[in-house]
Amino acid sequence: MSDPSLETLYRHHHNWLRAVLYRRSGCSELAADLAQDTFARLLRREDDIAAIREPKAFLGRIANALLANYWRRKAIEQAYLETLQQQPEPVAISPEACYLVVETLYRIDVLLDALPSRVRRAFLMSRLDGMRYVDIAARLVVSERTVRNYIEQAMFHCLKADPGLLP
């Protein structure tokens, strides 16, 4: 490619990227949206587009990450909707409220995914399952103090990343 501009990159690779995303997702609208989002990400990048040596590999990595995030968000949304359906009496929730809940759950999921697995497990056992520290310690085969440290580490991580996320 002689002209390393974003426009040239778009012209040469947009259709290819959209086709790849369509094969992976099975949805032409999603593929088009994610292809656009991939190039939108390039607009926000500070590094030089001319430095991209393998444009298809580079674009593919960005697009794969966007697709993975999409599927992750959809899984969280589906789990939330299934939980709502299991409630004893019908829970009426507006589409806006549903979006906000799913968005918050997704942000929490991303935050927790960045934690070491034992810290994440201890935190989820404590907060979601309501387990006591002594029971978590027995399950993870660690001391109660270690569980306390894990929970503190998780809380600090979440509060540092997004102070408004946790009560």
Side-chain angles (χ1 to χ4, degrees):
M1 202 170 2
S2 59
D3 177 16
S5 71
L6 181 60
E7 180 183 352
T8 303
L9 194 66
Y10 184 89
R11 273 190 282 120
H12 283 113
H13 301 292
H14 178 262
N15 288 336
W16 166 83
L17 184 60
R18 202 171 72 206
V20 167
L21 287 165
Y22 174 70
R23 281 193 305 275
R24 291 186 182 152
S25 70
C27 176
S28 60
E29 292 85 9
L30 176 61
D33 287 347
L34 292 176
Q36 288 302 110
D37 289 348
T38 300
F39 286 98
R41 287 261 173 112
L42 288 178
L43 281 173
R44 295 188 298 262
R45 291 182 65 92
E46 293 183 11
D47 45 345
D48 188 15
I49 291 175
I52 299 172
R53 299 287 174 237
E54 299 291 332
K56 285 185 176 179
F58 185 77
L59 293 168
R61 275 193 308 275
I62 295 171
N64 283 335
L66 290 171
L67 184 59
N69 285 342
Y70 172 81
W71 291 125
R72 184 179 196 171
R73 186 179 305 266
K74 290 302 277 184
I76 290 169
E77 181 178 3
Q78 185 62 37
Y80 174 66
L81 293 174
E82 287 172 7
T83 300
L84 280 181
Q85 289 177 341
Q86 294 172 3
Q87 299 304 309
E89 82 181 46
V91 178
I93 184 167
S94 71
E96 295 83 10
C98 183
Y99 172 81
L100 291 174
V101 169
V102 170
E103 185 64 28
T104 301
L105 290 171
Y106 177 74
R107 287 176 26 218
I108 291 170
D109 183 56
V110 169
L111 284 174
L112 295 180
D113 195 46
L115 291 170
S117 65
R118 293 176 77 80
V119 173
R120 181 176 52 253
R121 283 185 61 209
F123 182 76
L124 291 173
M125 284 184 226
S126 169
R127 298 301 183 228
L128 291 183
D129 300 331
M131 291 176 66
R132 298 175 317 159
Y133 287 7
V134 66
D135 298 325
I136 297 169
R139 174 92 48 97
L140 296 179
V141 192
V142 296
S143 70
E144 208 173 321
R145 179 68 191 141
T146 299
V147 170
R148 191 177 333 281
N149 288 339
Y150 285 166
I151 303 299
E152 287 173 5
Q153 182 182 348
M155 293 291 283
F156 180 73
H157 172 76
C158 291
L159 289 171
K160 185 174 89 176
D162 194 340
L165 195 56
L166 297 176

